[in-house]
Amino acid sequence: MPALTSHTADVLVIGWGLAGLVAASEAASAGKRVVIVDQEPRSNLGGQAWWSFGGLFFVDSPEQRRMGIKDSIELARQDWFGNAGFDREEDLWPQRWAEAYLQFAHGEKRAWLREKGVGFFPVVGWAERGGYTATGPGNSVPRFHITWGTGPGLVAPFQASVETGEVQGRVTVLPRHRVTRLTEAGGSVTGAEGDILAPSGAARGVASSREVVGSFAITAGATIVASGGIGGNHDLVRRWWPERLGTPPSAMVTGVPAYVDGSMQSVSEAAGARLINGDRMWHYVEGIQNWDPVWPGHGIRILPGPSSVWLDATGTRLPVPLFPGFDTLGTLAHLRATGYDHSWFVLSQQIIEKEFTLSGSEQNPDLTGKDVRLLAKSRLGKGAAGPVQAFMDKGADFVVRESLDDLIAGMQALPGGEALDPERVRFEVEARDREVDNDFTKDAQIAMLRSARAYRGDRLIRTATPHRILDPKAGPLIAVKLHVLTRKSLGGIETDLSGRALGTSGEPIPGLYAAGEASGFGGGGVHGYRALEGTFVGGCLFSGRIAGRAAAAAV
């Protein structure tokens, strides 16, 4: 029988991603004794957030105002609620969380982060542009603020706070501790118990062993579940896949490490927590296979500018307003109805140089490394950014050719390329190009491109000058095969505005809290059906802060 190790704490935090680090930092700062457990080796401290682009949603920020963007809490509320589409009885707490988060994003969020040394790239991005009416999905204005230092830069101050707490004896970090049960007494959650896994030297993100070498029990006055979502577990993704998004793909690439396995959902539910909105999820349709993978099935998301021609697997252009960067889940639902798991971008060298960014801290060495010289070279210089060029040279999903005939032949040679209708591809690209040749157009994408360049952020680094894709001076031609890429759970443990986990009766479970993706980023589904982007790591910050402070106050 493996040896049992025991610990006591005021606050137990399960999961050391951004929400967990923030919660632990807040509780420790309040003078509480904190224990943090995670099933991975310590190399993974910071969780998914470390790998992120670090996009943050602010409302009426100084960066927006300097870029000439007029934003307001009223406009942001219109966008959030129009996007979320709250329509269920269990949306009561998610709606309250949404309103609270909007106030946070409009108020102290930026100043709180600035006090911790977090800076922001001055050009605000325009993600999820929508393209519908004023009350439909999408951001009415640019709100995507990139953290200077990307995900690692956002994790750093909270990691430093936790490490300071360790030195001072207030925080204990226990790697390779996998929770299998929340312990209870007298109707309250009193801590957790589980397996101690074999030590592992696996690098960050690399799958680690599940060999059990011991067991543990932790007694705590308050327990915070901050264990993330289900994106690394394709079986769970398919089980919860909603009918409104069509049938689940038979093949997907994975946008999060394998440890994002949803294992704490059933553990929390067994302790009485109510799980809601499990069918709400967020997966991208611009995924590409990583030529240098870290975790199994590792995919990277293209953060596309708006100019590429988007074709389905047969070569038919996607309908209005399903342009790159406009409506993630609308595009996903449309593509799932085609019967194929992939689609295509067709573009020019001129477009890829201006518009292609890859999601992830490791794919943006200029922003992550805070390297101004590299930033100017990669974002404003000639040629594709280094990481993008590496995918063009080595990526399995990229085809680069001088002529359209050769490009189509290269597309057909890739797996699934037999579905492509060459004449349809030619028809779509040539028809689009005719619309660029004059100052008038009925092509909504071209009209939008011209409008987008009125925003100097788009004109500077995000949107290429409209041109004919088949113009030899803009070449060579490029095609990219796109896959569904798993990412985020939008549902989770239902919580009140103090982060307390709620039971099936709607009453708080004494001693149990939840934060981050495990709680649907707050309330069990703060985003509703769709996210506005820049809201995931921000939701971890907000819900982790609330849960950490509330748990500390309760013990």
Side-chain angles (χ1 to χ4, degrees):
M1 177 73 69
L4 173 70
T5 61
S6 300
H7 305 269
T8 60
D10 295 317
V11 177
L12 166 63
V13 179
I14 302 171
W16 59 29
L18 184 58
L21 289 179
V22 172
S25 173
E26 292 290 337
S29 295
K32 304 303 177 181
R33 293 176 299 115
V34 179
V35 171
I36 309 173
V37 299
D38 197 282
Q39 65 185 352
E40 294 306 306
R42 185 150 180 159
S43 56
N44 285 277
L45 201 69
Q48 295 179 65
W50 189 93
W51 295 97
S52 77
F53 198 40
L56 289 169
F57 178 97
F58 293 121
V59 179
D60 191 27
S61 69
E63 289 78 16
Q64 286 176 300
R65 294 194 292 271
R66 283 194 288 268
M67 296 300 293
I69 300 163
K70 295 181 179 180
D71 200 5
S72 68
I73 187 66
E74 293 79 15
L75 185 61
R77 184 182 295 110
Q78 174 177 296
D79 287 348
W80 192 290
F81 281 81
N83 205 59
F86 295 121
D87 61 1
R88 297 174 176 175
E89 183 179 341
E90 55 264 43
D91 283 334
L92 172 65
W93 286 108
Q95 288 187 72
R96 292 174 177 175
W97 271 88
E99 181 60 43
Y101 181 69
L102 286 168
Q103 296 295 337
F104 180 61
H106 182 239
E108 62 178 314
K109 177 182 176 183
R110 184 182 181 280
W112 177 62
L113 290 171
R114 290 293 296 139
E115 287 174 2
K116 295 181 180 300
V118 179
F120 311 103
F121 185 58
V123 179
V124 183
W126 195 358
E128 288 295 292
R129 302 181 186 218
Y132 301 93
T133 62
T135 57
N139 282 296
S140 297
V141 297
R143 296 192 177 103
F144 192 83
H145 297 67
I146 301 169
T147 302
W148 188 231
T150 66
L154 195 56
V155 167
F158 302 101
Q159 178 176 338
S161 175
V162 165
E163 290 173 343
T164 297
E166 284 186 281
V167 172
Q168 296 172 344
R170 289 182 286 111
V171 177
T172 301
V173 180
L174 300 175
R176 305 297 282 161
H177 281 57
R178 177 178 62 189
V179 172
T180 58
R181 190 172 80 89
L182 296 175
T183 53
E184 303 167 71
S188 299
V189 169
T190 57
E193 60 185 24
D195 300 324
I196 299 175
L197 305 179
S200 171
R204 183 184 293 275
V206 175
S208 60
S209 80
R210 292 294 179 259
E211 178 190 354
V212 177
V213 296
S215 60
F216 70 90
I218 300 171
T219 302
T223 297
I224 302 172
V225 177
S227 53
I230 67 172
N233 187 334
H234 288 198
D235 290 338
L236 270 184
V237 169
R238 292 190 178 96
R239 184 186 309 170
W240 285 103
W241 191 277
E243 186 176 341
R244 67 181 176 274
L245 293 179
T247 57
S250 58
M252 298 179 281
V253 293
T254 309
V256 293
Y259 58 71
V260 187
D261 57 12
S263 60
M264 278 301 299
Q265 285 194 346
S266 58
V267 172
S268 301
E269 191 172 36
R274 185 185 183 207
L275 303 180
I276 61 174
N277 297 317
D279 65 322
R280 292 178 178 169
M281 51 184 65
W282 188 260
H283 307 302
Y284 292 108
V285 280
E286 310 99 336
I288 52 177
Q289 301 171 80
N290 194 346
W291 63 270
D292 187 20
V294 177
W295 52 79
H298 190 175
I300 297 293
R301 185 205 173 195
I302 297 170
L303 298 173
S307 297
S308 298
V309 172
W310 205 334
L311 307 176
D312 68 19
T314 70
T316 301
R317 195 173 173 192
L318 271 57
V320 175
L322 305 183
F323 310 131
F326 273 62
D327 179 6
T328 294
L329 291 196
T331 307
L332 176 59
H334 174 81
L335 290 173
R336 294 310 309 138
T338 67
Y340 297 94
D341 289 349
H342 69 278
S343 61
W344 299 93
F345 278 163
V346 174
L347 60 152
S348 66
Q349 176 73 22
Q350 188 172 322
I351 291 172
I352 206 168
E353 289 181 3
K354 188 83 168 185
E355 298 192 4
F356 266 38
T357 297
L358 302 175
S359 183
S361 56
E362 82 286 10
Q363 300 295 334
N364 294 275
D366 51 353
L367 292 164
T368 301
K370 303 181 182 181
D371 189 329
V372 175
R373 183 173 298 178
L374 180 59
L375 178 73
K377 178 182 178 182
S378 61
R379 310 288 164 169
L380 301 174
K382 184 68 175 173
V388 174
Q389 187 63 53
F391 272 89
M392 291 175 66
D393 296 339
K394 304 173 185 178
D397 297 312
F398 282 71
V399 181
V400 183
R401 300 288 188 272
E402 294 295 335
S403 72
L404 184 57
D405 284 341
D406 287 345
L407 186 76
I408 293 171
M411 295 164 72
Q412 288 180 302
L414 294 184
E418 65 277 0
L420 205 64
D421 179 347
E423 293 308 312
R424 186 71 196 185
V425 176
R426 179 175 294 280
F427 171 78
E428 296 283 17
V429 175
E430 290 180 346
R432 178 264 183 209
D433 274 7
R434 290 189 193 99
E435 295 287 325
V436 178
D437 273 344
N438 58 74
D439 293 334
F440 305 90
T441 184
K442 66 179 181 182
D443 190 308
Q445 186 176 8
I446 293 170
M448 180 281 308
L449 294 177
R450 291 170 176 165
S451 175
R453 285 178 59 82
Y455 168 49
R456 62 178 179 268
D458 269 351
R459 188 171 64 251
L460 180 66
I461 63 169
R462 202 69 182 116
T463 304
T465 303
H467 61 276
R468 290 186 300 110
I469 286 177
L470 298 179
D471 184 346
K473 292 181 292 185
L477 297 171
I478 301 163
V480 187
K481 183 182 175 184
L482 306 172
H483 308 262
V484 176
L485 178 140
T486 63
R487 186 74 95 199
K488 295 296 182 185
S489 309
L490 299 188
I493 299 168
E494 186 178 27
T495 61
D496 67 9
L497 285 177
S498 294
R500 297 182 297 178
L502 304 180
T504 54
S505 67
E507 294 298 314
I509 300 172
L512 185 60
Y513 299 76
E517 196 174 351
S519 67
F521 302 91
V526 69
H527 301 94
Y529 288 94
R530 301 169 187 246
L532 281 173
E533 290 286 34
T535 55
F536 296 137
V537 288
C540 291
L541 292 168
F542 186 52
S543 61
R545 189 173 93 144
I546 285 177
R549 291 181 177 183
V555 297

